[in-house]
Amino acid sequence: MESPQTPRTATRKMTKVFKALADGTRQEILQLLEEQPYAVGEIVAKFDLSQPTISRHLSVLKEADLVVDQRRGQNVIYRLNDMALAASMRQFFGRFRSCQEVLR
Amino acid sequence: MESPQTPRTATRKMTKVFKALADGTRQEILQLLEEQPYAVGEIVAKFDLSQPTISRHLSVLKEADLVVDQRRGQNVIYRLNDMALAASMRQFFGRFRSCQEVLR
DNA sequence: GCGACTCATAATCGCTAGGTCATGGGTTCA
DNA sequence: TGAACCCATGACCTAGCGATTATGAGTCGC
């Protein structure tokens, strides 16, 4: 069940989502996960950044509910949270008349 | 005519847009401008922030191409740049399969 | 031109964000 | 149990952000 959202908490949540999206590396991670789920180590291998840094970025994305993690043996698999991404998108842009025509 | 965009410049632009959106005050300003255009002074009157602060926020939104300004006598009128907002939205979320069904 | 009004910009300050290295906790396997 | 592997977290540094006050640059009316 969805708990009711006040406009305030909705705004805070959107801010968290936008902050998560407001970084080039995190955008690239999301696009990577759009292909398929990946383990942290695999993601690290695709960037020129340290493992802790990537782990931090993943944490931010998770906090924003844009990805979901799942332990699989020694590995932790991250996958895109499609539904949450689409939902955030609807929620924010739905407030703008001019964007209504782009949403269905 | 649209100038061609490399993926890199597209990502940079999206980052600028998301950074602009990643602030509660700026989100509120956008929603305010969604009603109708407003002069800077009018916007300042609706927030509990100083005039320079609001001016800064407007500058950020303008840099992200989310608003447009126009001098009108002593005043400067800001209006929402609907088309650019919708375009950014399409451009980013269009990359995600799961969002395709939300875009038309 | 002068004063009043409106807004943008400069200088500054405290806090957050993104990066690093070092370390700790969970899991597997012998 | 202990060693090896994978990942998260802590401590730290630098850069950027959001806020302020003070000031400068356009514009209007006299």
Side-chain angles (χ1 to χ4, degrees):
Chain A
M1 289 302 107
E2 300 288 329
S3 53
Q5 262 185 351
T6 69
R8 276 277 168 244
T9 56
T11 297
R12 265 200 299 272
K13 181 168 183 176
M14 285 315 311
T15 300
K16 187 176 282 188
V17 169
F18 283 130
K19 277 186 189 296
L21 292 174
D23 180 279
T25 299
R26 288 196 288 268
Q27 287 175 35
E28 291 183 43
I29 290 177
L30 286 181
Q31 291 198 60
L32 186 63
L33 295 182
E34 208 277 331
E35 300 172 3
Q36 65 175 73
Y38 282 103
V40 176
E42 297 175 309
I43 301 175
V44 171
K46 293 180 184 290
F47 290 86
D48 197 26
L49 293 171
S50 68
Q51 176 267 315
T53 296
I54 296 294
S55 198
R56 284 280 182 214
H57 282 306
L58 289 170
S59 170
V60 172
L61 290 171
K62 183 180 169 186
E63 267 297 307
D65 204 36
L66 294 176
V67 300
V68 171
D69 65 338
Q70 173 189 8
R71 176 131 229 150
R72 186 114 183 177
Q74 291 182 341
N75 299 325
V76 175
I77 310 296
Y78 278 82
R79 72 183 64 239
L80 186 64
N81 191 356
D82 320 70
M83 295 304 100
L85 179 60
S88 295
M89 177 179 161
R90 276 179 180 282
Q91 173 150 12
F92 181 76
F93 293 105
R95 303 177 191 172
F96 297 95
R97 276 197 304 271
S98 53
C99 290
Q100 299 288 4
E101 63 189 25
V102 187
L103 298 169
R104 64 169 154 179
Chain B
M1 289 300 109
E2 300 286 330
S3 53
Q5 262 186 349
T6 69
R8 277 276 168 245
T9 54
T11 297
R12 266 200 297 272
K13 181 168 184 177
M14 284 315 311
T15 300
K16 188 176 281 188
V17 170
F18 283 129
K19 276 186 190 296
L21 292 173
D23 180 277
T25 300
R26 288 195 289 269
Q27 288 176 34
E28 292 184 43
I29 290 176
L30 286 181
Q31 291 199 60
L32 186 63
L33 295 181
E34 207 274 333
E35 302 172 3
Q36 66 174 72
Y38 281 104
V40 175
E42 296 175 310
I43 301 175
V44 171
K46 293 181 184 289
F47 290 86
D48 196 25
L49 293 170
S50 68
Q51 176 269 316
T53 296
I54 295 295
S55 198
R56 275 289 179 206
H57 282 306
L58 288 170
S59 171
V60 172
L61 291 171
K62 182 180 169 184
E63 268 296 308
D65 204 35
L66 294 177
V67 300
V68 171
D69 65 338
Q70 173 190 7
R71 175 131 231 148
R72 185 113 185 179
Q74 293 182 339
N75 300 325
V76 176
I77 310 296
Y78 279 82
R79 71 182 65 239
L80 186 64
N81 192 356
D82 320 70
M83 296 304 100
L85 179 59
S88 295
M89 179 177 160
R90 277 180 179 281
Q91 172 149 11
F92 180 77
F93 292 103
R95 303 175 191 173
F96 297 93
R97 277 196 303 273
S98 54
C99 291
Q100 298 290 1
E101 63 190 25
V102 187
L103 297 169
R104 63 168 156 180

